[in-house]
Amino acid sequence: MPVHPVDLAEPAWRSDPFPGWARLRAAGPLHRTVDGAWLVVGHREVDLLLRTDRVGKDLRRLRGYADLRPYGRDGLAEHYIEQWMGVRLPEVHAVWRSLVTPGFTRRSVAGLRERLIQTADDLLAAAPAAMPSAVGGSFDLMASFARPFPVVATALALGLTDVGVERLAGWSRAITAVLEPDAEPAARRGAETALADLADYLRVQLDDRRRRPTDDVLGRLTAGNTGPDAAFDDDQLVATVLLLFLSGNDTVAGLIGNGVLALSAFPDQQDLLRGRPDLLPLAVEEILRFDGPACIALRAVYQPITIAGHDLAAGDTLLLALAAANRDPGAFPDPDRLRIDRRPNRHLGFGAGPHACVGTGLARTEATLALAALHRHIPRPRCDPATVTWSDEQYQRYPQTLILT
């Protein structure tokens, strides 16, 4: 039986959610939230639901969606988010991934490594001096490094190299504030302006690629989507680039911030990584498991399905608790301990199945290079966990500020 309803708006689910996830897992794999959504916390069940075609990411199929309009009524946020849902439909999703995925594999992003290494070094070298409140070399890792670094990396991969990082980062901050349902009105107004500006910029970029093909993600998207057999119209292409640009920024920023906190909490693992830099790729996977920034995946039930003895109906809302699944002792020995050499590691930090994160190659490269740069510049970063402020989101968890000394 599901336990009493869970209120995910409670502050503890931001600051320290893992005791709560453990209590829910101990009571069973399936629960309900105060809003009536199904909350799934077991690794086996979350993995199954990520992979089945009986649930999916078209939230327009949620019961009551048409009445609630959770992304705002008739605005650009609702328009482009629903465009993203459209390209995830089964009949077109495979074509969409075939166009997008090649630009984000590790092999594809290998050519960006030297520029990303230099970017990371430049950001960290300037970080303490750039902070007005810097005292004795302290600085906010999130503002000075963790947020701008993935913006640069994603822009390079996409080919958005003719606009400043500050402008791109500003667009990203404004728009990501409304990617979760029921955002505040002030955030929606800022996002509408940013979406209009960024969409106009992207249309110009796509037109340029049609006239002058390039070997970047935008170039491949336009080259692979031309003529009478084109799978997507211009609006869907703009929505695709918006999704690719926005989805990776906060995720990688959070991965960097959560990784620094995790390694600080386990000094023996930090020392091991310092002596064994070859473990960096494994360390990134373990951070994704131990405290990945994507903590909940929102899904709609497409067809009736039975989970843990309970019948879920079409239109039901599903919250797949990736953070809980990744600490499931049935799937991971000693799950509450960071072990950077953990093998095997079947974490769900990037999802799984047909809707797994398309940008994993770039994200893993960014995180590996970011942690390597931090080790070069700040061999033993110190932070007080009590001073960390957390993002005010339900589906992602990462530091808003993280002061290092």
Side-chain angles (χ1 to χ4, degrees):
M1 289 290 292
V3 298
H4 62 277
V6 180
D7 186 358
L8 293 174
E10 292 177 352
W13 293 107
R14 308 292 169 277
S15 58
D16 186 14
F18 297 106
W21 291 134
R23 288 192 296 272
L24 291 177
R25 275 196 316 268
L30 189 67
H31 304 276
R32 298 302 287 265
T33 70
V34 293
D35 300 320
W38 293 101
L39 179 65
V40 190
V41 297
H43 186 278
R44 186 176 69 85
E45 292 78 12
V46 170
D47 187 53
L48 182 153
L49 289 165
L50 287 169
R51 297 177 188 279
T52 181
D53 60 4
R54 302 183 79 85
V55 308
K57 300 187 80 168
D58 185 2
L59 304 185
R60 294 169 296 186
R61 301 195 191 187
L62 291 175
R63 190 178 303 108
Y65 179 91
D67 295 324
L68 294 173
R69 304 285 288 275
Y71 296 103
R73 291 180 179 272
D74 303 319
L76 288 176
E78 180 184 68
H79 173 74
Y80 282 116
I81 288 169
E82 291 189 351
Q83 290 289 319
W84 299 342
M85 296 177 195
V87 298
R88 266 80 168 270
L89 296 175
E91 56 268 26
V92 295
H93 187 234
V95 177
W96 182 84
R97 288 188 78 94
S98 71
L99 285 173
V100 170
T101 302
F104 290 97
T105 64
R106 287 189 177 183
R107 177 177 297 179
S108 296
V109 303
L112 304 176
R113 285 182 64 90
E114 292 306 315
R115 294 178 71 179
L116 292 178
I117 290 169
Q118 187 62 56
T119 297
D121 285 339
D122 291 346
L123 288 170
L124 286 170
M131 291 298 295
S133 61
V135 177
S138 66
F139 70 100
D140 181 1
L141 177 75
M142 304 306 293
S144 295
F145 179 67
R147 287 198 190 92
F149 180 65
V151 171
V152 173
T154 307
L156 287 173
L158 291 172
L160 308 178
T161 56
D162 62 344
V163 63
V165 174
E166 284 302 318
R167 191 178 183 195
L168 287 169
W171 283 335
S172 179
R173 285 192 301 271
I175 298 167
T176 53
V178 301
L179 294 187
E180 289 197 356
D182 303 315
E184 294 295 325
R188 290 200 189 283
R189 289 191 292 272
E192 288 293 300
T193 300
L195 273 168
D197 291 346
L198 181 51
D200 287 346
Y201 167 72
L202 292 176
R203 289 182 192 281
V204 171
Q205 294 298 310
L206 290 168
D207 286 343
D208 285 347
R209 297 312 192 280
R210 292 188 179 99
R211 292 191 296 269
R212 293 180 294 275
T214 56
D215 187 26
D216 51 36
V217 172
L218 264 68
R220 296 186 193 106
L221 277 174
T222 53
N225 190 71
T226 58
D229 297 326
F232 307 107
D233 61 28
D234 274 9
D235 218 26
Q236 290 172 315
L237 285 181
V238 169
T240 290
V241 181
L242 281 167
L243 173 64
L244 296 173
F245 173 65
L246 296 168
S247 59
N249 292 339
D250 275 0
T251 299
V252 175
L255 181 54
I256 294 169
N258 290 3
V260 167
L261 284 171
L263 289 165
S264 298
F266 291 88
D268 63 318
Q269 297 300 290
Q270 195 168 57
D271 290 341
L272 175 60
L273 187 57
R274 189 174 297 109
R276 291 279 310 279
D278 59 296
L279 291 175
L280 268 169
L282 285 179
V284 169
E285 302 305 315
E286 176 66 346
I287 292 164
L288 282 162
R289 182 202 68 83
F290 181 79
D291 193 5
C295 54
I296 292 176
L298 174 62
R299 296 290 191 270
V301 178
Y302 291 173
Q303 302 172 46
I305 187 171
T306 300
I307 298 294
H310 293 269
D311 296 328
L312 281 60
D316 283 356
T317 300
L318 268 178
L319 301 178
L320 307 182
L322 309 178
N326 283 336
R327 297 276 191 109
D328 189 337
F332 304 98
D334 200 9
D336 294 321
R337 176 168 177 77
L338 185 78
R339 287 172 32 198
I340 64 168
D341 58 352
R342 185 183 294 270
R343 286 180 176 171
N345 192 344
R346 293 179 54 248
H347 71 78
L348 302 173
F350 284 133
H355 295 289
C357 174
V358 75
T360 56
L362 178 61
R364 286 181 164 110
T365 298
E366 291 175 67
T368 300
L369 295 179
L371 290 177
L374 282 164
H375 277 277
R376 287 195 300 275
H377 288 263
I378 314 172
R380 294 184 181 276
R382 296 193 303 272
C383 61
D384 180 357
T387 67
V388 176
T389 61
W390 293 93
S391 60
D392 188 23
E393 299 177 38
Q394 285 196 15
Y395 304 152
Q396 293 206 85
R397 178 180 177 272
Y398 53 85
Q400 196 68 32
T401 59
L402 176 52
I403 307 300
L404 295 187
T405 58

